[in-house]
Amino acid sequence: MTVPAVLPHDAAAAPAHTQVLVVGGGTAALEVVMALHERAAGEVRVTLLAPDPHFRYRPLAAYAGLVPDTRQTVAVPPLAAEWGASVVGDRLASVDLDRRVATTTHGGRIAYEALVVASGAAPEAAVPGAVTLGAPHDEPAFAALVARVRAGQATRLAVVVPPGVAWTLPAYEVALLLAHAAPPETTLVTVLTAEDAPLQAFGDAAGDAVRSLLRRRGVELRTSCPPETVAGGTLPVPLGDPVPLDAVVALARPQGPAIPGLPHDRAGFVPVDVRGRIVGEDDAWAVGDVTDRPVKQGGLAVQQADVAAADVLRHLGLQDGETAPARPVVRAALLDGQGTLYLRAEHGDDGWATVVSREPLWWPPTKIAGGRLAAYLAARETALVD
């Protein structure tokens, strides 16, 4: 399939045209492309508006120095072509929903019949003075901290979950990994979370499993603690003097892109319904971290992508019936330095049904669980090894 021309922004010029325009270059966007191709058997014309010519699968990138580098890099144009899509290398600047035209940052325009936005969110520092986990600009500082921990030079650490962060598992994971990396019996790692319990959003069983693991690994847990608790670089002690901290690591607070022309809340996230359709729109969808769904997690984004793709095809007349919204299933692989704890939580009429296991609960047992992309990359990796 040829790449559609992106024309300069000129009122007299007709924009390039596609049936489905998918915006983004990450996991959620590629999942949408794959789902559209698989469900429609190649009958839909898809364009991917991606800012980078390479997709970097880096679910463990935040833990540089703590876990082996398992990144995979794939060229986007041939991957997209394999799944029936063409690529425009640019970013989304704005959308005219009434005219169904997207404008890129370089002034190009693309008309569409259906739009799917999967452009992600940006990590925002939420705790002053802390190293922000997963923020690209703090990756060198985090790597330097890991080196200090391994050398026994940083022995009192705090990992903070600030308010406004719904996916909190990375805090417990990095605390366990830091404790494991330190020389034996030299380092105190404390998790301070604004939650009332670990993984509070996913029921008691998941939280109890994490709490028990932290206790066995010697990681202290303090719940219902706001980030101000570590202000000034000290750890408060009940009925005692504050303890100086060598370093504080904090989860990032996600910030939405507030794309001009798209509805968004005060944090810049796009409001969507249970099928991923942008609220108030008939031919525009959003999936993944760009949406106003509170939990920003790769496995959930994969599920959202599949539902949105089905609804797009129904809208285009390529799939019959109503699109059934998926009941979200949370799958999480928590690394503790000695192995992996797998958690699977599904919310039903009677609350959360949770399974915790040291054996994989899905296949392939990737960090971002489920979907076509994980299976595709696993098969590709196996082929390269063979």
Side-chain angles (χ1 to χ4, degrees), residues 177-227:
L177 291 172
L178 286 168
H180 179 75
E185 300 180 3
T186 62
T187 301
L188 172 64
V189 182
T190 303
V191 178
L192 301 100
T193 176
E195 303 174 290
D196 294 331
L199 297 182
Q200 181 180 358
F202 304 103
D204 294 338
D208 290 345
V210 172
R211 189 189 295 271
S212 176
L213 181 57
L214 294 172
R215 186 183 305 115
R216 295 198 304 273
R217 297 288 191 269
V219 175
E220 184 179 353
L221 172 67
R222 300 190 188 184
T223 57
S224 304
C225 289

Coordinates of all heavy atoms in Angstrom, one line a residue, residues 177-227:
L177 N 13.1 -4.2 43.6 CA 14.3 -4.4 42.8 C 15.5 -3.6 43.4 O 16.7 -4.1 43.4 CB 14.1 -3.9 41.4 CG 13.1 -4.7 40.6 CD1 12.8 -4.0 39.3 CD2 13.7 -6.1 40.3
L178 N 15.3 -2.4 44.0 CA 16.4 -1.7 44.7 C 16.9 -2.4 45.9 O 18.1 -2.5 46.2 CB 15.9 -0.3 45.0 CG 15.7 0.7 43.9 CD1 15.0 1.9 44.3 CD2 17.1 1.1 43.3
A179 N 15.9 -3.0 46.7 CA 16.3 -3.7 47.9 C 17.1 -4.9 47.5 O 18.1 -5.3 48.2 CB 15.1 -4.1 48.7
H180 N 16.8 -5.6 46.4 CA 17.5 -6.8 46.0 C 18.9 -6.4 45.4 O 19.8 -7.2 45.6 CB 16.7 -7.5 44.9 CG 17.4 -8.7 44.3 ND1 17.4 -9.9 45.0 CD2 18.1 -8.9 43.2 CE1 18.1 -10.8 44.3 NE2 18.5 -10.2 43.2
A181 N 19.0 -5.2 44.8 CA 20.3 -4.8 44.2 C 21.3 -4.4 45.3 O 22.5 -4.4 45.0 CB 20.1 -3.7 43.3
A182 N 20.8 -4.0 46.5 CA 21.7 -3.5 47.5 C 22.5 -4.6 48.2 O 22.1 -5.8 48.2 CB 20.9 -2.8 48.6
P183 N 23.7 -4.4 48.7 CA 24.4 -5.4 49.5 C 23.5 -5.8 50.7 O 22.7 -5.1 51.2 CB 25.6 -4.6 50.0 CG 25.9 -3.5 49.0 CD 24.5 -3.1 48.6
P184 N 23.6 -7.1 51.1 CA 22.7 -7.6 52.1 C 22.7 -6.8 53.4 O 23.8 -6.4 53.9 CB 23.3 -9.0 52.3 CG 24.0 -9.4 51.0 CD 24.6 -8.1 50.5
E185 N 21.6 -6.5 53.9 CA 21.3 -5.9 55.2 C 22.0 -4.5 55.3 O 22.5 -4.2 56.4 CB 21.8 -6.8 56.3 CG 21.1 -8.2 56.3 CD 21.6 -9.1 57.4 OE1 22.4 -8.6 58.2 OE2 21.1 -10.2 57.5
T186 N 22.0 -3.8 54.2 CA 22.7 -2.5 54.2 C 21.7 -1.4 54.0 O 22.0 -0.2 54.3 CB 23.8 -2.4 53.2 OG1 23.3 -2.5 51.9 CG2 24.9 -3.4 53.4
T187 N 20.6 -1.7 53.3 CA 19.7 -0.6 52.8 C 18.3 -0.8 53.3 O 17.7 -1.8 53.3 CB 19.8 -0.7 51.2 OG1 21.1 -0.5 50.8 CG2 18.9 0.4 50.6
L188 N 17.7 0.4 53.7 CA 16.3 0.4 54.0 C 15.5 1.1 52.9 O 15.8 2.3 52.6 CB 16.1 1.2 55.3 CG 14.7 1.5 55.7 CD1 13.9 0.2 56.0 CD2 14.6 2.4 57.0
V189 N 14.6 0.4 52.4 CA 13.7 1.0 51.3 C 12.3 1.1 51.9 O 11.8 0.1 52.4 CB 13.7 0.1 50.1 CG1 12.8 0.7 49.0 CG2 15.1 -0.1 49.5
T190 N 11.7 2.3 51.8 CA 10.4 2.5 52.3 C 9.5 3.0 51.2 O 9.9 3.9 50.4 CB 10.4 3.6 53.4 OG1 11.3 3.1 54.5 CG2 9.0 3.8 54.0
V191 N 8.3 2.4 51.1 CA 7.3 2.8 50.1 C 6.3 3.7 50.8 O 5.8 3.2 51.8 CB 6.6 1.6 49.4 CG1 5.6 2.2 48.4 CG2 7.6 0.8 48.7
L192 N 6.1 4.9 50.3 CA 5.1 5.8 50.9 C 4.1 6.0 49.8 O 4.4 6.5 48.7 CB 5.7 7.1 51.3 CG 6.8 7.0 52.4 CD1 8.2 7.1 51.8 CD2 6.6 8.1 53.4
T193 N 2.8 5.6 50.0 CA 1.8 5.7 49.0 C 0.6 6.4 49.5 O 0.2 6.3 50.7 CB 1.4 4.3 48.6 OG1 0.3 4.4 47.6 CG2 0.9 3.4 49.7
A194 N 0.0 7.2 48.6 CA -1.2 7.9 48.9 C -2.4 6.9 49.1 O -3.5 7.3 49.5 CB -1.5 8.9 47.9
E195 N -2.2 5.7 48.6 CA -3.3 4.7 48.7 C -3.5 4.3 50.2 O -2.6 4.3 51.0 CB -2.9 3.4 47.9 CG -2.6 3.6 46.5 CD -2.1 2.3 45.8 OE1 -1.0 1.9 46.1 OE2 -2.9 1.8 45.0
D196 N -4.7 3.7 50.5 CA -4.9 3.2 51.8 C -4.4 1.7 51.9 O -4.2 1.2 53.0 CB -6.5 3.1 52.1 CG -7.1 4.5 52.2 OD1 -6.3 5.4 52.6 OD2 -8.2 4.7 51.9
A197 N -4.1 1.1 50.7 CA -3.5 -0.2 50.7 C -2.9 -0.4 49.3 O -3.2 0.3 48.4 CB -4.6 -1.3 50.9
P198 N -1.9 -1.3 49.2 CA -1.2 -1.5 47.9 C -2.2 -1.9 46.9 O -3.1 -2.7 47.1 CB -0.2 -2.6 48.2 CG 0.0 -2.6 49.7 CD -1.3 -2.1 50.3
L199 N -2.0 -1.4 45.7 CA -2.9 -1.7 44.5 C -4.4 -1.6 44.9 O -5.2 -2.5 44.6 CB -2.6 -3.1 44.0 CG -1.2 -3.4 43.4 CD1 -1.0 -4.8 42.9 CD2 -0.9 -2.4 42.3
Q200 N -4.7 -0.6 45.6 CA -6.0 -0.4 46.2 C -7.1 -0.5 45.2 O -8.2 -1.0 45.5 CB -6.1 1.0 46.9 CG -7.4 1.2 47.5 CD -7.5 2.6 48.2 OE1 -6.4 3.3 48.2 NE2 -8.6 3.0 48.8
A201 N -6.9 -0.1 43.9 CA -7.9 -0.1 42.9 C -8.3 -1.5 42.4 O -9.3 -1.6 41.8 CB -7.4 0.8 41.7
F202 N -7.5 -2.5 42.8 CA -7.8 -3.8 42.3 C -8.1 -4.9 43.3 O -7.9 -6.1 43.1 CB -6.5 -4.3 41.4 CG -6.2 -3.3 40.4 CD1 -5.2 -2.4 40.5 CD2 -7.1 -3.2 39.2 CE1 -5.0 -1.4 39.5 CE2 -6.8 -2.2 38.3 CZ -5.8 -1.3 38.4
G203 N -8.6 -4.4 44.5 CA -9.1 -5.4 45.4 C -8.1 -5.8 46.5 O -6.9 -5.6 46.4
D204 N -8.6 -6.5 47.5 CA -7.8 -6.8 48.7 C -6.8 -7.9 48.4 O -5.7 -7.9 48.9 CB -8.7 -7.3 49.8 CG -9.6 -6.2 50.3 OD1 -9.2 -5.0 50.2 OD2 -10.7 -6.5 50.9
A205 N -7.2 -8.9 47.5 CA -6.3 -10.0 47.3 C -5.0 -9.6 46.7 O -3.9 -10.0 47.1 CB -7.0 -11.1 46.4
A206 N -5.0 -8.7 45.7 CA -3.8 -8.2 45.0 C -3.0 -7.4 46.0 O -1.8 -7.6 46.1 CB -4.2 -7.4 43.8
G207 N -3.7 -6.6 46.8 CA -2.9 -5.8 47.8 C -2.3 -6.6 48.8 O -1.2 -6.4 49.3
D208 N -3.0 -7.7 49.3 CA -2.4 -8.5 50.3 C -1.2 -9.3 49.8 O -0.2 -9.5 50.6 CB -3.5 -9.6 50.8 CG -4.6 -8.9 51.6 OD1 -4.4 -7.8 52.0 OD2 -5.6 -9.6 51.8
A209 N -1.2 -9.7 48.5 CA -0.1 -10.4 48.0 C 1.1 -9.5 47.9 O 2.3 -9.9 48.2 CB -0.4 -10.9 46.6
V210 N 0.9 -8.2 47.5 CA 2.0 -7.3 47.4 C 2.5 -6.9 48.8 O 3.8 -6.9 49.1 CB 1.6 -6.0 46.7 CG1 2.7 -4.9 46.8 CG2 1.3 -6.3 45.2
R211 N 1.6 -6.7 49.8 CA 2.0 -6.4 51.1 C 2.9 -7.5 51.7 O 3.9 -7.2 52.4 CB 0.8 -6.1 52.0 CG 1.1 -5.6 53.4 CD -0.2 -5.6 54.2 NE -1.2 -4.7 53.7 CZ -1.3 -3.4 54.0 NH1 -0.4 -2.9 54.9 NH2 -2.3 -2.7 53.5
S212 N 2.5 -8.7 51.5 CA 3.2 -9.9 52.0 C 4.6 -10.0 51.4 O 5.6 -10.3 52.1 CB 2.4 -11.2 51.8 OG 3.1 -12.3 52.2
L213 N 4.7 -9.7 50.1 CA 6.0 -9.8 49.4 C 6.9 -8.7 50.0 O 8.1 -9.0 50.2 CB 5.8 -9.7 47.9 CG 7.0 -9.7 47.1 CD1 7.8 -11.0 47.3 CD2 6.6 -9.6 45.6
L214 N 6.4 -7.5 50.1 CA 7.2 -6.4 50.7 C 7.8 -6.8 52.1 O 9.0 -6.6 52.4 CB 6.4 -5.1 50.8 CG 6.0 -4.5 49.4 CD1 5.0 -3.3 49.7 CD2 7.2 -4.0 48.6
R215 N 6.9 -7.4 52.9 CA 7.3 -7.7 54.2 C 8.4 -8.8 54.2 O 9.4 -8.7 54.9 CB 6.1 -8.3 55.0 CG 6.4 -8.5 56.5 CD 5.2 -9.1 57.2 NE 4.0 -8.3 57.0 CZ 2.9 -8.6 56.4 NH1 2.9 -9.8 55.8 NH2 1.9 -7.8 56.3
R216 N 8.3 -9.8 53.3 CA 9.3 -10.8 53.3 C 10.6 -10.3 52.8 O 11.7 -10.9 53.1 CB 8.8 -12.0 52.4 CG 7.6 -12.7 52.9 CD 7.4 -14.1 52.2 NE 7.4 -14.0 50.8 CZ 6.3 -13.8 50.1 NH1 5.1 -13.6 50.7 NH2 6.3 -13.7 48.7
R217 N 10.6 -9.3 51.9 CA 11.8 -8.8 51.4 C 12.4 -7.6 52.2 O 13.4 -7.0 51.8 CB 11.6 -8.2 49.9 CG 11.2 -9.3 49.0 CD 12.3 -10.2 48.6 NE 12.0 -11.1 47.5 CZ 11.4 -12.3 47.6 NH1 11.2 -12.8 48.8 NH2 11.1 -13.0 46.5
G218 N 11.8 -7.3 53.3 CA 12.3 -6.3 54.2 C 12.1 -4.8 53.7 O 12.8 -3.9 54.1
V219 N 11.0 -4.6 52.9 CA 10.7 -3.3 52.4 C 9.6 -2.8 53.3 O 8.5 -3.4 53.4 CB 10.3 -3.3 50.9 CG1 9.8 -1.9 50.5 CG2 11.4 -3.8 50.0
E220 N 9.8 -1.6 53.8 CA 8.8 -1.0 54.7 C 7.7 -0.4 53.9 O 7.9 0.2 52.8 CB 9.4 0.1 55.6 CG 8.5 0.7 56.6 CD 9.2 1.8 57.5 OE1 10.4 1.9 57.4 OE2 8.5 2.4 58.2
L221 N 6.5 -0.4 54.4 CA 5.3 0.2 53.7 C 4.6 1.1 54.6 O 4.3 0.8 55.7 CB 4.4 -1.0 53.2 CG 3.0 -0.5 52.6 CD1 3.2 0.2 51.3 CD2 2.1 -1.7 52.4
R222 N 4.3 2.3 54.0 CA 3.5 3.3 54.8 C 2.4 3.7 53.8 O 2.7 4.3 52.7 CB 4.3 4.5 55.2 CG 5.4 4.1 56.2 CD 6.1 5.3 56.8 NE 7.3 5.0 57.5 CZ 8.0 5.9 58.3 NH1 7.6 7.2 58.3 NH2 9.0 5.5 58.9
T223 N 1.2 3.5 54.2 CA 0.0 3.8 53.4 C -0.6 5.2 53.8 O -0.2 5.7 54.9 CB -1.0 2.7 53.4 OG1 -1.4 2.6 54.8 CG2 -0.5 1.4 52.9
S224 N -1.4 5.7 52.9 CA -2.1 7.0 53.2 C -1.1 8.1 53.5 O -1.3 9.0 54.3 CB -3.1 6.9 54.4 OG -4.0 5.9 54.1
C225 N 0.1 8.1 52.8 CA 1.1 9.1 53.0 C 1.2 10.0 51.7 O 1.5 9.5 50.7 CB 2.5 8.4 53.2 SG 2.6 7.6 54.8
P226 N 1.0 11.3 51.9 CA 1.1 12.2 50.7 C 2.6 12.4 50.4 O 3.4 12.2 51.3 CB 0.4 13.4 51.2 CG 0.6 13.4 52.7 CD 0.5 12.0 53.1
P227 N 2.9 12.9 49.2 CA 4.3 13.2 48.9 C 5.0 14.2 49.8 O 6.2 14.2 49.9 CB 4.3 13.6 47.5 CG 2.9 14.1 47.3 CD 2.0 13.3 48.1

